[in-house]
Amino acid sequence: MLEIQGLSKSYGNNVAVDNVNFTVPDGQIGILLGPNGAGKSTIIKSIAGLLRYKGSIRIQGLPARTIDAKRVFAYVPEIPSMFDALTVREHIEYIRMAYSSDITDEEVEEILREFEMDDKQDKLGNELSKGMMQKVSICCALAVKPQVILLDEPMVGLDPAAIKKLKEVVVDLKSRGTTVLISTHMLEMVENLWDVMFVMEKGHIIGSYTKEDAEGRDLDDLFFAMTGGEKE
Ligand code: ATP
C-alpha cells in the first residue's frame, strides 16, 4: 500500500502541492494525472525521497524515509540516469546487491530478454540510446522485486514492443500483489491498466475514481470532465 497524507511542498512562495491525500491500496494500479505544472512530479519526487516535504508518506505502512520502506520500494524516474562506466548487467548487479534482492540469475536473464536487452548486457551506460536507458532503468526497478513501484512517464521514449511488454509487466506485478503508481500524460497507454485514478490541478487532487465508480467510462472522458478541457 502507498499512503500519502497531508503532503505539501512549496518552492519559495510557490505552493506546488497543497495538503494532498491519496492511497493506492495493496496490489492495485494507481494512475496520477494532471495538466502541466499540476504538481505530479513534485509528488513523485517526494515519494521517491528526492525532495523535502511536509506531511506523511507511507510505503507498506512504513514511513517512506526509513530504510525498511526503501528496501521494498522501486522508482523509475522520467529521465533515466546511468553510470557511464558500468555495463547494463553491472547496473542490475549493483541494484541487486544494494537491495540484497533475492532475484535469481535466471530471473535477471528473463527480465533482460523481455526488454530485448539480453544481447546488450555488456554495453556501457554511455553507449546506450535513451530508450535503452529507460529499459535498463525499468529492469533495475524490477530487480528490486519491489512491493511498491513508482513509474514516472515510463512509456516515454520506449518503442512499441517495449511499451507492450511494460504493460504486461505491470499487470504481472499486480497479479503478484505489487502496488503500482504511474504518473503519465499518455492516457491511452494506461486505459486498460488502472484500478484507481487521481487527477491533480494546481497542487490539489481535484477528483479520483476507482474502476468500479467509473462504470466503463474512458480515462480521458473522466480526465477532461474534471479538468474542464476538451477531449481531443
Ligand atoms: P508536468 O506535467 O509539466 O511535468 P507536473 O504536474 O509534474 O508538471 P511539477 O513539476 O510538480 O508539475 O510542478 C508544480 C509546480 O511547481 C509548478 O508551478 C512548477 O513551476 C513548480 N516547480 C517545480 N519544480 C520546481 C523547482 N525545482 N523550483 C521552483 N519551482 C518548481
Side-chain angles (χ1 to χ4, degrees), residues 182-195:
I182 304 174
S183 173
T184 187
H185 291 292
M186 301 167 83
L187 304 189
E188 69 287 358
M189 298 287 180
V190 290
E191 183 62 72
N192 298 316
L193 290 179
W194 64 282
D195 297 302

Side-chain angles (χ1 to χ4, degrees), residues 11 14 16 34-42 185:
Y11 300 100
N14 181 10
N36 293 132
K40 304 177 300 295
S41 296
T42 301
H185 291 292

Side-chain angles (χ1 to χ4, degrees), residues 6 10-11 21 28 44 85 101-103 132 135 139 143 159 179 194 213 218 227:
S10 297
Y11 300 100
N21 300 285
Q28 292 204 5
I44 295 284
S101 170
D102 62 6
I103 192 165
M132 288 176 195
K135 289 179 183 181
C139 292
D159 59 37
T179 304
W194 64 282
D213 295 341
D218 290 348
T227 57

Side-chain angles (χ1 to χ4, degrees), residues 12-13 23 27 30 34 49 54 58 92 100 118 120 133 136 141-142 146 153 161 177 182 196 207 215 217 219:
N13 292 329
T23 297
K54 287 189 189 146
R58 298 178 85 83
I92 310 259
S100 305
D118 48 326
K120 300 181 182 65
M133 287 188 203
V136 175
L142 296 176
E153 290 291 3
I182 304 174
V196 54
E215 296 176 334
R217 273 179 290 168
L219 203 51

